[in-house]
Amino acid sequence: MTKTLKETFEAQIPKLRKERVKLMKEHGSQVISECTIAQAIGGMRGVKGMVCDTSVVEPDKGLYIRGKSILKLKDKLPEEIFWNLLTGTFPTKNELALLQKELRAAGKVPDYVWKVLKAMPKTSHPMAMLDTAILAMENESAYRREYSKGIPKTEYWISTLEDAMRIMGTIHTIAAGVYRIKYFKGKLIKPSKRDMGADFARMLGLPPHKGQTAEMMRLYLTLHCDHEGGNVSANTCHTVGSALSDPFYAVSAGLNGLAGPLHGLANQECLNWILETMDKFGGAPSEKEIEDYAWETLNAHKVIPGYGHAVLRVTDPRFTAFNQFGKKYLKNDPVFQTVDRVFKVVPKVLKKHGKAANPWPNVDAGSGALLYHYGLTQFEYYTVLFSVSRAMGMLTQQVLNRALGTPITRPKSVSTKWLKKQVKK
Ligand code: HAX
């Protein structure tokens, strides 16, 4: 029988709730983590203090979505990944078609959103435009509407999922609109019945390159979908959502975090760095030239974007997936060749430099070369693409938390004075 995403998830809820109650009741006092002073000062790195079931990042293996390595899922459609993030299962062919139909039905972007975007200064960052558009759409929130009617807590997830579908149905259209408004690309292109990745590429107005642009976009949206719960954007979305703010507030807030250069904005910085090396050396630089430029960057006390990670300690499998795509289609592209060469050189330099705990490339090191090749040359826009995908993780995490009644986030902070007292003890 063909089921909707809502029906499939609804059937899972009783078991999930029971499991959580049992864990809390029988093992609630079990210690799973400790926190040192270095961790309290250092961004809580490694402190286990929240639950996220959509995905896990294994330091030595990379991203696992619902127990499966991202490399095994790279050929799935973003819509299938959205379903999988929420339910841990995959839709049948008919269920996928139904989900796509529902997303299209939720896909109308209100006119006031376009007016807001068009009124923004031409110098606004595309991430500020995307986040503003999502926040402006808060007016559409089913959750806010239902909550104000006084619905029971056990039903919060229903309207949260409705909002999630609304955001998922519109975010690629909004993002494409941001691109066309910001870069004077002419009229907005209306959505069609294509799958999300293909339609997004089309609405941006990119040349199709015999279907390769759509293939690249699907891959891009699938690979960036989620990265467990503690990263800045997921954690921010979680915290805002835990106050029962609706998904429009929470996702917009999370994406504001993604806009930071140490997080999602790194992909814009990465391509910039690659193009700077090419500029400096007049084309694809040699390995020696890259090595010299890497040292120049480090000696100027700057980071090499796209390298290092707070959790990962190996080459990010998402970088590997982009690299494989590049080797298949872009072998002769000098930007891709430079990215590939940087991959050979920079880990050795970072190891010698001795600071970065992880000298290997993360997801942002390679994606820009592909986007650039297929005509997306405005790298200031790249984090918007990342956001369209990452919204899937944020939204599904929020629906799960509503279904499970996860309480408001409130870690305890301590003062430096208190820390000093502890040390004396
Ligand atoms: N180049 C130069 N120095 C680096 C570095 C890099 N790529 N990565 C880490 N370091 C430095 C850190 O700046 C830090 O130096 P200080 O002690 O002087 O502050 C030191 O090495 C130890 O840092 P770490 O423990 O290895 O890394 P963190 O967990 O603190 O930070 C970052 C992880 C991803 C923020 C970091 O590696 C970095 O700044 N990388 C470059 C930016 C980047 O690629 N960000 C995207 C990450 C993926 C992501 O979230 N995408 O959205």
Side-chain angles (χ1 to χ4, degrees):
M1 199 185 84
T2 305
K3 281 195 177 157
T4 61
L5 176 58
K6 184 182 164 197
E7 286 162 349
T8 306
F9 180 59
E10 187 164 23
Q12 297 181 345
I13 293 177
K15 187 168 169 249
L16 296 175
R17 285 185 179 152
K18 222 164 132 188
E19 197 175 80
R20 181 159 285 192
V21 169
K22 188 171 174 342
L23 264 175
M24 287 289 276
K25 208 168 140 192
E26 294 177 12
H27 306 283
S29 58
Q30 190 163 325
V31 176
I32 57 163
S33 201
E34 59 173 16
C35 186
T36 63
I37 290 181
Q39 287 170 311
I41 292 175
M44 297 187 280
R45 203 76 88 260
V47 178
K48 298 182 188 81
M50 66 189 295
V51 178
C52 169
D53 288 323
T54 51
S55 68
V56 170
V57 179
E58 300 280 5
D60 57 342
K61 291 195 193 113
L63 174 63
Y64 278 69
I65 304 287
R66 291 289 191 167
K68 279 208 175 73
S69 164
I70 188 68
L71 280 178
K72 292 216 166 97
L73 301 175
K74 70 181 174 52
D75 298 322
K76 295 276 182 199
L77 287 178
E79 296 92 320
E80 292 176 284
I81 294 286
F82 180 59
W83 180 296
N84 183 242
L85 282 165
L86 186 61
T87 65
T89 65
F90 282 101
T92 62
K93 205 170 154 229
N94 287 342
E95 285 167 344
L96 174 63
L98 186 55
L99 173 66
Q100 289 173 320
K101 196 174 161 200
E102 284 188 311
L103 288 171
R104 274 197 300 276
K108 168 99 179 81
V109 180
D111 281 343
Y112 63 79
V113 171
W114 297 127
K115 284 190 188 137
V116 169
L117 288 178
K118 285 176 185 165
M120 287 180 78
K122 295 292 162 258
T123 46
S124 291
H125 193 281
M127 277 301 286
M129 294 173 77
L130 178 74
D131 300 355
T132 302
I134 292 173
L135 196 55
M137 257 183 84
E138 196 279 332
N139 186 50
E140 311 288 307
S141 174
Y143 176 80
R144 173 152 68 94
R145 185 191 66 218
E146 292 303 308
Y147 185 86
S148 66
K149 287 183 195 161
I151 54 164
K153 205 175 166 182
T154 47
E155 287 177 16
Y156 287 172
W157 70 270
I158 299 171
S159 48
T160 303
L161 178 58
E162 204 180 310
D163 283 354
M165 296 288 286
R166 188 86 172 94
I167 295 176
M168 270 300 290
T170 49
I171 192 166
H172 59 313
T173 307
I174 296 173
V178 165
Y179 179 74
R180 297 189 69 79
I181 293 166
K182 165 85 186 164
Y183 301 109
F184 310 105
K185 294 288 180 186
K187 276 194 171 164
L188 302 181
I189 300 172
K190 288 205 163 76
S192 74
K193 287 191 171 173
R194 289 171 180 79
D195 65 84
M196 184 180 180
D199 214 27
F200 186 21
R202 189 190 63 89
M203 286 191 284
L204 286 162
L206 299 177
H209 288 277
K210 296 184 187 147
Q212 277 178 38
T213 313
E215 189 180 332
M216 183 269 304
M217 193 58 84
R218 285 186 203 108
L219 179 68
Y220 192 99
L221 296 183
T222 291
L223 293 181
H224 286 84
C225 63
D226 200 35
H227 220 227
E228 69 175 37
N231 65 74
V232 168
S233 48
N235 195 9
T236 304
C237 181
H238 176 87
T239 304
V240 173
S242 80
L244 297 185
S245 303
D246 64 54
F248 295 91
Y249 285 123
V251 169
S252 178
L255 294 181
N256 286 333
L258 198 69
L262 294 187
H263 194 13
L265 205 80
N267 61 3
Q268 122 175 11
E269 307 258 311
C270 277
L271 192 63
N272 208 0
W273 194 84
I274 297 287
L275 296 181
E276 269 171 24
T277 60
M278 295 181 70
D279 232 27
K280 189 171 160 92
F281 300 108
S286 67
E287 291 190 15
K288 174 77 181 79
E289 286 167 335
I290 292 170
E291 188 178 337
D292 290 347
Y293 194 62
W295 280 112
E296 201 180 310
T297 305
L298 293 171
N299 291 335
H301 303 289
K302 293 191 220 157
V303 295
I304 300 180
Y307 283 78
H309 201 273
V311 177
L312 280 173
R313 294 296 175 258
V314 287
T315 294
D316 191 330
R318 300 169 299 171
F319 172 84
T320 307
F322 281 133
N323 203 255
Q324 286 166 351
F325 185 99
K327 289 209 159 115
K328 186 169 166 195
Y329 292 122
L330 275 70
K331 264 201 306 250
N332 300 322
D333 180 312
V335 180
F336 175 71
Q337 285 168 350
T338 305
V339 168
D340 202 38
R341 227 167 268 168
V342 167
F343 175 42
K344 290 197 184 100
V345 174
V346 163
K348 286 186 213 153
V349 172
L350 282 174
K351 275 187 200 168
K352 218 175 193 175
H353 186 240
K355 261 186 159 189
N358 173 38
W360 302 107
N362 59 57
V363 65
D364 297 322
S367 56
L370 271 53
L371 299 170
Y372 200 75
H373 179 86
Y374 290 107
L376 248 169
T377 52
Q378 301 84 353
F379 36 86
E380 211 189 23
Y381 180 76
Y382 291 178
T383 315
V384 173
L385 297 160
F386 192 152
S387 305
V388 171
S389 171
R390 189 51 67 85
M392 292 197 267
M394 292 194 228
L395 288 166
T396 47
Q397 287 182 28
Q398 194 169 12
V399 177
L400 272 158
N401 280 312
R402 285 287 201 278
L404 289 170
T406 307
I408 188 163
T409 298
R410 182 47 168 103
K412 174 86 184 102
S413 65
V414 294
S415 65
T416 308
K417 200 170 158 193
W418 184 89
L419 284 180
K420 287 201 305 215
K421 259 196 209 157
Q422 293 299 110
V423 175
K424 271 194 195 143
K425 271 190 210 163

